[in-house]
């Protein structure tokens, strides 16, 4: 299977199931339409401010920047992660102590099975995932991705890792769409931090040291 075909498969898998009518969504696994309660549910596990305290427990301050993607940069990032996304800008939180950067954090919204899940991804100053916290979950199933015994496996991942089910991420039975969604968003965060912060500082994935450590894996597929 070519990379293009795999990319198409990933993108389609992140799109909600076929909707019949304006307010009804069919669930292929349940073999029925979702109820109004299932469609309106939104479990808030963590507020954004509380998430930042977890991401930057020792930082003296946290500032926020808005990074805007030119069409060329957006295409470049999409090619690196292996799927297309609609966003053209992202808010980046930067933890600092003195004149030193402690790390970065981005809030991601990616489609699980039917609706978007919201989670925060922390990346340390070397470009390694430091933490992942689920903020809001809007599905009837799949919230197991918030459990530390699962999302701890993302910690230490870099932009050079596949961050992909059956590659370096162990799936959760019954929560495949949530795992795939979170993995895709984490890969995007790693590439964004690499492109906008690490590469300009001379410590990104294109440095000799980085390539020697893990090998250059430019996409979510580990090719």
């Amino acid at each position: 299977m070519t990379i293009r075909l795999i990319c198409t498969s990933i993108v389609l898998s992140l799109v909600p199931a076929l909707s019949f009518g304006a307010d009804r969504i069919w669930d292929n696994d349940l073999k029925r339409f979702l109820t109004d309660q299932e469609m309106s549910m939104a479990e808030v596990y963590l507020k954004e401010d509380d998430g930042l305290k977890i991401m930057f427990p020792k930082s003296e301050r946290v500032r926020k920047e808005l990074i805007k993607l030119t069409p060329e940069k957006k295409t470049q990032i999409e090619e690196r992660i292996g799927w297309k996304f609609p966003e053209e800008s992202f808010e980046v939180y930067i933890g600092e102590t003195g004149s030193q950067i402690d790390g970065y954090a981005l809030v991601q919204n990616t489609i699980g099975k039917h609706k978007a899940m919201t989670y925060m991804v922390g990346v340390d100053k070397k470009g390694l995932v430091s933490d992942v916290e689920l903020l809001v979950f809007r599905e009837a199933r799949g919230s197991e991705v918030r459990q530390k015994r699962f999302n701890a496996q993302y910690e230490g991942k870099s932009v050079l890792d596949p961050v992909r089910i059956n590659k370096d991420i162990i799936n959760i039975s019954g929560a495949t769409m949530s795992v795939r969604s979170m993995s895709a968003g984490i890969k995007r965060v790693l590439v964004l931090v690499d492109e906008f912060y690490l590469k300009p500082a001379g410590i990104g994935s294109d440095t000799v040291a980085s390539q020697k450590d893990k090998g250059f894996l430019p996409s979510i597929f580990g090719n």
Side-chain angles (χ1 to χ4, degrees), residues 106-139:
L106 284 82
V107 174
Q108 294 289 279
N109 290 283
T110 52
I111 298 297
K113 189 173 185 180
H114 302 294
K115 295 179 290 183
M117 52 189 289
T118 304
Y119 49 100
M120 183 177 288
V121 183
V123 179
D124 68 18
K125 61 184 179 182
K126 295 182 179 180
L128 306 179
V129 175
S130 57
D131 202 345
V132 178
E133 297 292 339
L134 183 64
L135 304 183
V136 185
F137 195 75
R138 302 175 178 86
E139 307 277 4

Side-chain angles (χ1 to χ4, degrees), residues 163-201:
V163 194
R164 181 188 173 196
I165 294 176
N166 298 327
K167 285 288 187 179
D168 56 344
I169 299 299
I170 299 174
N171 191 23
I172 298 176
S173 178
T176 299
M177 295 304 296
S178 295
V179 175
R180 186 173 294 163
S181 175
M182 180 170 282
S183 298
I186 290 171
K187 184 69 176 187
R188 180 169 63 183
V189 166
L190 287 168
V191 173
L192 286 169
V193 171
D194 187 53
E195 289 289 339
F196 283 88
Y197 297 99
L198 303 186
K199 281 187 176 182

